Amino acid sequence: MISVYERGILARYITTTSTKARHQAKLLSLLDWIQRWGYTSPAVLQALWGLDKSVINRMVRRYVREELIAEVPVYSCRDKRVFILKPEGLRTIESFHQAEFKYNTKPSSFPIKTLTHDLMVQYLVAKGCCEGNYRFFINEAEQGKDGTGKKRRLDAIVYNCGELQGIEVECSSKTIPYRLDIIRRYRSAIVEEQKVSKILMFSHKRRYLRDAERIHDKLFADVDNNLDRSFYEAHLKFVFSRQITAELYESFWVF
């Protein structure tokens, strides 16, 4: 049995090495992934399965023909399309898990303004799952079921190296008051709520991470903010990886 927060991770479905079983594993992985996130894109599937884009395109065309998923055109990311579940796809995973799932995503309900940001979050989680680093994950929507009400959710939570880590993706610069509110909520997520032990910050542009780092320094220097610099230096990490930054930019922003 696959646990709720492991659904979508390809390795969890593979029981034999036969071609047919591996194909079925990819299909179930895709359908579960879409049900949990609401939608996904070819770039995310490349990261999730570690396959070439041409192979991904061939596979999703087949699933569209079989009416398991539907392709929806969008214009705010490089792929210019995302995939959602169709009723037959939902029934397939319900039959596999012997459970009922809710799925209300429609072509008219996409968060267009945050679509690229959300797909980058998916990409990072998918990449970590494919590489075997993330044992399970909890997306932002699923965090709303933990009883914390309207408290700020993290973009994602992953189980990595024996600890729960938060993933945050920066897509723009933030004002000082907004940044102050964010880092105070980060501390709350770590200390009071004990959701995670560390928060990792990524971006498709290095300058957004540098900007956040610069504002943090200003906030720490102001004694009125009552912020413990040593705490944030120990629990908040800016991921200045040229490879990851380039992958995010080239996968979602280069048209």
Side-chain angles (χ1 to χ4, degrees), residues 147-164:
T148 55
K150 295 183 179 180
K151 292 182 180 179
R152 188 179 190 276
R153 305 166 193 168
L154 299 166
D155 288 337
I157 296 174
V158 298
Y159 184 72
N160 182 24
C161 300
E163 66 177 359
L164 288 171

Side-chain angles (χ1 to χ4, degrees), residues 186-204:
Y186 285 167
R187 182 182 178 89
S188 177
I190 295 170
V191 179
E192 285 83 17
E193 300 167 38
Q194 296 185 344
K195 281 186 174 182
V196 295
S197 58
K198 182 186 295 184
I199 294 174
L200 308 177
M201 299 184 67
F202 299 85
S203 181
H204 65 290

Side-chain angles (χ1 to χ4, degrees), residues 3-22:
S3 68
V4 173
Y5 296 132
E6 291 181 318
R7 288 175 42 230
I9 301 175
L10 180 59
R12 305 295 182 268
Y13 305 83
I14 299 176
T15 55
T16 71
T17 57
S18 72
T19 300
K20 182 178 179 180
R22 293 183 69 86

Side-chain angles (χ1 to χ4, degrees), residues 198-248:
K198 182 186 295 184
I199 294 174
L200 308 177
M201 299 184 67
F202 299 85
S203 181
H204 65 290
K205 286 192 175 182
R206 187 180 181 90
R207 68 182 178 91
Y208 291 139
L209 296 179
R210 286 297 185 197
D211 182 72
E213 194 175 46
R214 176 181 57 80
I215 293 179
H216 285 188
D217 286 338
K218 288 185 177 181
L219 294 173
F220 296 146
D222 188 341
V223 295
D224 291 336
N225 292 326
N226 193 29
L227 298 174
D228 182 354
R229 179 189 290 268
S230 61
F231 171 84
Y232 288 100
E233 289 178 346
H235 294 88
L236 181 61
K237 179 182 179 182
F238 294 92
V239 183
F240 290 105
S241 166
R242 290 184 178 181
Q243 178 180 344
I244 294 176
T245 299
E247 286 179 11
L248 291 176

